Amino acid sequence: MNKTQFFFVLAFITISFNTAFAQYGYGNGYGNGYGGYGMGRNSMSQMNQADMKPKEIPVEVTVAKIMEKLKPQLNLDELQTIAIGNVYTDIIKSQTAIMKDEKLSQQEKSNEIKALFEINERKVNEYLNEEQRQKYKALKEEGGNNKKEKEKKKKSKKEDE
């Protein structure tokens, strides 16, 4: 056998082994294929489903982000920051409970959440002075406009496709 034939035979054998092992999950080094260490399709799909569930962000983290934005924009003092943070914590916890309640229909959930936001608005405004209320109202309107603009952009992108 000359060197060229030897090279082709060696390459063929290497590719064959690599392909055979890759089909069983050994090619990637993890052994997660159909025959890899007893892990078949069922156990893999169960693992994927567990990984796909969105992880809940703690309420405190969400409230901290909200307050981080509101404090400088509304010029809140520490007492206002704590009080308004507590209002947001209560509202978010209530909203989460409503969303998880399987007894309520989507319409009922929507109505409950709207009511929560109205209560939130009143409670937050109790802790603000007149100037802060105006800024807070402007921030809320700006946030609503940003959401509408994002929705319009999404719709126009879908139509373009």
Side-chain angles (χ1 to χ4, degrees):
M1 225 193 272
N2 64 23
K3 290 182 180 180
T4 313
Q5 289 177 333
F6 178 76
F7 175 76
F8 282 120
V9 171
L10 184 63
F12 177 77
I13 292 172
T14 305
I15 291 171
S16 298
F17 277 118
N18 191 21
T19 305
F21 283 119
Q23 288 178 356
Y24 286 97
Y26 297 112
N28 61 9
Y30 296 109
N32 289 338
Y34 297 124
Y37 301 109
M39 300 212 32
R41 291 182 184 184
N42 290 338
S43 56
M44 284 303 295
S45 64
Q46 290 172 354
M47 286 177 58
N48 288 339
Q49 288 174 358
D51 293 341
M52 291 174 69
K53 288 183 182 178
K55 296 183 181 184
E56 287 188 28
I57 299 171
V59 175
E60 293 76 19
V61 172
T62 305
V63 171
K65 287 182 182 179
I66 292 169
M67 296 313 298
E68 186 178 294
K69 185 176 179 181
L70 285 181
K71 187 175 179 178
Q73 290 180 339
L74 299 179
N75 197 22
L76 300 174
D77 62 29
E78 287 303 313
L79 184 59
Q80 288 175 316
T81 303
I82 293 168
I84 294 171
N86 288 337
V87 170
Y88 273 102
T89 300
D90 292 341
I91 294 298
I92 292 171
K93 286 181 180 178
S94 298
Q95 180 182 358
T96 303
I98 290 169
M99 294 305 291
K100 288 183 179 180
D101 189 356
E102 295 177 9
K103 296 176 187 174
L104 298 175
S105 69
Q106 280 302 115
Q107 185 63 39
E108 291 171 328
K109 288 179 182 180
S110 177
N111 292 339
E112 296 259 344
I113 289 173
K114 284 180 185 176
L116 274 177
F117 282 119
E118 290 173 10
I119 292 168
N120 181 50
E121 193 81 19
R122 277 187 261 141
K123 285 183 177 181
V124 168
N125 280 323
E126 289 176 8
Y127 296 108
L128 302 175
N129 62 36
E130 190 57 38
E131 181 183 339
Q132 290 170 327
R133 284 187 193 117
Q134 296 301 323
K135 289 180 182 178
Y136 184 68
K137 184 178 179 183
L139 284 173
K140 289 291 185 180
E141 289 174 1
E142 183 181 308
N145 290 338
N146 286 343
K147 287 181 184 177
K148 289 177 185 175
E149 288 176 16
K150 286 180 183 177
E151 288 175 7
K152 287 181 183 178
K153 287 180 183 178
K154 285 182 183 178
K155 287 180 183 178
S156 66
K157 284 183 182 178
K158 288 181 182 178
E159 290 172 358
D160 291 340
E161 294 174 354

